[in-house]
Amino acid sequence: MNKEKVLQSVESKLKLIYKNDYKTEYMDLLSELISKWEKANWMPNDPVTQKNVYLITYGDSIYESGVPTLETLNKFLQEQVNGVITDVHLLPMFEYTSDDGFSVVDYRQIDKKLGDWNHIQSFAQDFRMMYDFVANHLSKSSSWFQGYLNDEEEYKDFFIPHDENFDYSKVIRPRTSPLFHEYKGKNGVKTAWTTFSEDQVDVNPKSFSMLKELTDVILLYANKGASSIRLDAIGFLWKVSGTSCMHLKETHEIIKLWRILLDYFKKDTQIITETNVPHKENISYLGDGTDEAHMVYQFALPPLVLHTMTTHDSSKLTRWAKTIDKVSETATYFNFLASHDGIGVRATEGILTDEERKVLVDKVVENGGRVSYKNNTDGTQSVYELNINYFDALVNQAEDQTLELKIKKMLAAHSILLSFVGVPAIYYNSLFGSTNDYKGLEESGINRRINREKFEFSFIKEALVSDERRSKVFNGLKALLQLRQAESAFSPYASQNVIDLGPAFFALERVNDQTGEKITFILNVTAKKNDVTVAIKGTNILNNEIIDGKVELEAYEFAWIKA
């Protein structure tokens, strides 16, 4: 798209965002911003293929004494997973005051404990990088919010004070804390909208000055090496009286505005939206498949895989998976099983019953995990997420008693992740075969810390060799990833056809229409040997076994059958 068309498209989006409040000066100011970034040096991105595998990690997940942690993490990944992990998702790497990075003090300032922009850009020469843009809220310690409290003209509309004429009755909350908090201002008490906590103050993009700043930040990230940008909690961005203040049209138009600019400056920079909500709302961020997000988090996958491996019944996963296919040639799903957050269950609404969700809740508690709740508009509370390491979440105490079976189950769960249409993302604690971090949980009192363990460089390097659980999970996942990367049928844009082989199996077919390659995935989701008759001939690329109509699989065993 040439500049003239870009400017026309940008103006169209601004008019849709601001409607009657639109002013021509908005377009003039954004044109100036575009001209500024046209003077910068832009490095091109490569398109996403089946070779892309994301690692979700903190910038200080691996550390050494006296060394910037970004340097240590880069060194470790180059030594251990170079060529297997292609994309590194660095969770918020900026100065922050709470929530393990998600209360950003300055969008443009790297946390000094991690390093600086030079370390980030050096990292980006070795791996494709994914940065977190916590666009919905800032730390109360940020200079912007302090300017708001001090009644500085520049920041007067940057945040959202309580309004007696605003109808808040339908606002959706992921937290049990108050929607508004009071703060001591220069000229008295000021209030501000706080979706997540007293320290995380929602920004106000209804102020064009704020939207311009946010737009400048996302272009900065792309220019500083981001191949992907994750829009954290983006669904809460725009607020309108009498609505849920979630997924509003203006929020979608802002994302589309950013897509236009990223496509112009650095095509194939992936916008990835993080909206932990029911599936239909989640996929709305894909737009028409070409004009909004490139990927959406596949939030239904983690709890549905857990449900399947817990009950040994794939029926619900199979039924849901039949509704999922390729999106377009440029949009797809960001698939994961574990992350820095817990296992969200909201995405299972309309898929699992309350009784089926309770089975997972009870199992998580039995296996040493925690449960987090959200407030409902009717004053009740309901389960929001399950806080537990995914390895521990999978274990059925009565039957998964050997380490061998637990490891097989972990790899089996990830075989679904690696076979499903989309791009796979693996959390660092899953890759390392970790279990619940009770020390982190108890020291912090924060449920999510149970799966945020961090490691000294020499310790984890040695543990991945000497610790049987860690070694077998780590090497098992690496081997699967390497096999997957060689097969074009696993392209994120290849089609998917789910095959119903009964509750004991989960199966699907991936077909790349461009290359003609086809792979059939079959997993035994039970803890005992099973066989199934299928109209398939080919070779199981996992062990080179010839398949001709019958597949026999041991407990938690799976096959990738290439025709």
Side-chain angles (χ1 to χ4, degrees):
M1 190 184 296
N2 62 35
K3 185 175 181 179
E4 183 180 352
K5 288 186 177 179
V6 167
L7 293 176
Q8 290 174 354
S9 297
V10 166
E11 184 175 27
S12 173
K13 293 303 173 192
L14 289 177
K15 289 179 177 177
L16 287 171
I17 293 165
Y18 291 105
K19 302 182 181 66
N20 294 334
D21 294 326
Y22 173 76
K23 299 176 182 177
T24 55
E25 67 186 69
Y26 294 174
M27 189 61 210
D28 295 337
L29 291 168
L30 215 51
S31 294
E32 290 177 9
L33 182 65
I34 292 169
S35 295
K36 180 191 95 167
W37 281 110
E38 283 180 324
K39 298 173 185 176
N41 182 35
W42 291 91
M43 298 299 291
N45 269 335
D46 292 325
V48 172
T49 72
Q50 75 277 2
K51 296 183 184 298
N52 290 89
V53 179
Y54 287 72
L55 180 72
I56 304 170
T57 184
Y58 286 97
D60 61 350
S61 58
I62 301 175
Y63 59 88
E64 294 174 287
S65 177
V67 181
T69 58
L70 287 168
E71 189 176 313
T72 299
L73 178 62
N74 190 6
K75 177 176 69 173
F76 176 86
L77 296 179
Q78 286 193 66
E79 288 182 8
Q80 299 292 326
V81 294
N82 193 24
V84 180
I85 296 297
T86 60
D87 295 64
V88 178
H89 172 202
L90 289 176
L91 289 154
M93 55 202 187
F94 308 100
E95 293 183 353
Y96 71 96
T97 49
S98 63
D99 199 19
D100 286 344
F102 287 90
S103 184
V104 177
V105 173
D106 187 334
Y107 287 127
R108 299 177 174 96
Q109 183 64 48
I110 303 299
D111 185 345
K112 292 180 177 62
K113 296 191 294 294
L114 307 185
D116 55 31
W117 276 114
N118 289 328
H119 292 104
I120 293 287
Q121 291 183 286
S122 176
F123 216 141
Q125 293 176 9
D126 300 313
F127 296 90
R128 290 165 53 102
M129 305 303 292
M130 175 171 164
Y131 303 161
D132 244 301
F133 186 16
V134 190
N136 180 71
H137 48 267
L138 274 169
S139 167
K140 68 178 182 181
S141 299
S142 67
S143 62
W144 294 0
F145 189 63
Q146 291 304 306
Y148 168 79
L149 294 182
N150 290 329
D151 291 328
E152 295 175 25
E153 183 68 20
E154 181 180 357
Y155 304 107
K156 67 176 184 177
D157 297 322
F158 269 37
F159 302 92
I160 309 168
H162 187 271
D163 180 355
E164 291 183 358
N165 297 316
F166 194 103
D167 178 4
Y168 301 99
S169 62
K170 296 180 181 178
V171 172
I172 291 177
R173 299 294 313 291
R175 296 287 186 274
T176 55
S177 59
L179 182 60
F180 282 87
H181 281 89
E182 294 184 346
Y183 304 86
K184 184 178 179 181
K186 179 181 178 181
N187 298 308
V189 173
K190 299 197 74 169
T191 58
W193 190 305
T194 51
T195 294
F196 290 92
S197 77
E198 184 263 351
D199 188 42
Q200 294 165 294
V201 189
D202 287 40
V203 303
N204 180 26
K206 288 183 180 179
S207 161
F208 176 76
S209 295
M210 173 59 83
L211 180 62
K212 180 173 172 285
E213 287 284 359
L214 296 176
T215 302
D216 186 57
V217 168
I218 200 170
L219 292 176
L220 171 72
Y221 292 175
N223 185 255
K224 291 282 193 181
S227 295
S228 302
I229 298 172
R230 174 184 184 266
L231 302 181
D232 174 71
I234 194 66
F236 299 94
L237 188 62
W238 196 272
K239 282 81 170 173
V240 173
S241 177
T243 74
S244 66
C245 297
M246 280 281 283
H247 319 308
L248 300 187
K249 180 176 175 57
E250 292 85 353
T251 296
H252 287 282
E253 296 302 333
I254 289 172
I255 298 170
K256 290 176 182 179
L257 168 68
W258 291 341
R259 169 76 180 256
I260 291 166
L261 294 174
L262 288 174
D263 281 352
Y264 177 59
F265 285 111
K266 193 177 180 184
K267 189 173 175 57
D268 292 315
T269 300
Q270 304 291 298
I271 295 177
I272 304 176
T273 52
E274 186 265 347
T275 51
N276 190 356
V277 293
H279 181 70
K280 186 176 180 181
E281 298 169 38
N282 186 34
I283 62 173
S284 70
Y285 287 87
L286 292 170
D288 68 4
T290 63
D291 67 343
E292 198 168 343
H294 295 80
M295 300 186 216
V296 296
Y297 271 66
Q298 189 70 281
F299 276 105
L301 196 61
L304 289 178
V305 169
L306 179 59
H307 171 265
T308 298
M309 304 305 290
T310 296
T311 62
H312 305 314
D313 185 340
S314 68
S315 302
K316 289 298 179 76
L317 177 62
T318 294
R319 189 177 307 153
W320 168 78
K322 285 180 178 180
T323 69
I324 310 295
D325 197 355
K326 67 176 288 183
V327 179
S328 71
E329 296 301 326
T330 59
T332 191
Y333 299 94
F334 189 83
N335 295 328
F336 70 108
L337 293 183
S339 75
H340 60 292
D341 291 339
I343 303 167
V345 298
R346 284 211 65 205
T348 66
E349 292 174 15
I351 303 172
L352 298 181
T353 65
D354 289 343
E355 291 75 17
E356 287 167 332
R357 275 189 287 273
K358 188 176 185 305
V359 168
L360 299 184
V361 169
D362 291 345
K363 181 186 181 184
V364 163
V365 172
E366 180 184 6
N367 290 2
R370 302 291 186 271
V371 180
S372 296
Y373 294 85
K374 73 176 184 72
N375 283 341
N376 300 317
T377 54
D378 62 1
T380 63
Q381 292 187 351
S382 57
V383 175
Y384 179 70
E385 68 179 19
L386 311 174
N387 302 111
I388 190 169
N389 179 282
Y390 211 81
F391 186 97
D392 286 317
L394 287 167
V395 174
N396 286 5
Q397 297 287 358
E399 59 188 4
D400 301 327
Q401 296 185 339
T402 68
L403 180 59
E404 179 186 9
L405 207 56
K406 293 175 183 178
I407 292 170
K408 284 189 70 176
K409 199 170 189 180
M410 182 69 164
L411 295 177
H414 280 80
S415 74
I416 301 175
L417 170 72
L418 301 186
S419 302
F420 215 82
V421 62
V423 180
I426 298 179
Y427 187 51
Y428 76 101
N429 266 312
S430 294
L431 184 65
F432 296 166
S434 300
T435 53
N436 290 335
D437 179 19
Y438 293 113
K439 181 181 178 184
L441 172 67
E442 291 163 6
E443 287 179 350
S444 67
I446 299 171
N447 287 351
R448 287 174 168 176
R449 288 276 180 89
I450 200 169
N451 195 26
R452 294 180 177 180
E453 184 177 5
K454 298 177 182 181
F455 305 94
E456 195 277 325
F457 177 84
S458 58
F459 166 82
I460 191 60
K461 186 176 177 181
E462 169 61 26
L464 292 176
V465 175
S466 61
D467 185 305
E468 183 181 4
R469 183 191 72 246
R470 290 191 184 277
S471 176
K472 287 187 174 180
V473 171
F474 180 66
N475 290 308
L477 287 173
K478 281 176 61 177
L480 290 176
L481 290 170
Q482 287 173 316
L483 273 176
R484 183 189 189 279
Q485 288 171 322
E487 304 296 336
S488 70
F490 288 127
S491 163
Y493 313 114
S495 61
Q496 173 171 288
N497 177 43
V498 176
I499 306 168
D500 191 344
L501 298 178
F505 299 93
F506 179 68
L508 52 81
E509 178 185 81
R510 298 294 308 282
V511 181
N512 188 315
D513 296 327
Q514 296 182 355
T515 66
E517 286 195 3
K518 178 171 73 173
I519 288 183
T520 302
F521 165 66
I522 304 176
L523 166 67
N524 176 9
V525 304
T526 76
K528 62 182 181 180
K529 183 176 181 178
N530 276 299
D531 62 74
V532 62
T533 300
V534 290
I536 298 171
K537 292 184 180 182
T539 302
N540 181 0
I541 62 174
L542 294 167
N543 57 16
N544 293 319
E545 177 187 359
I546 303 300
I547 303 296
D548 188 4
K550 185 177 182 180
V551 180
E552 294 183 351
L553 297 171
E554 299 290 338
Y556 307 135
E557 188 181 5
F558 56 93
W560 278 338
I561 305 167
K562 187 173 182 178

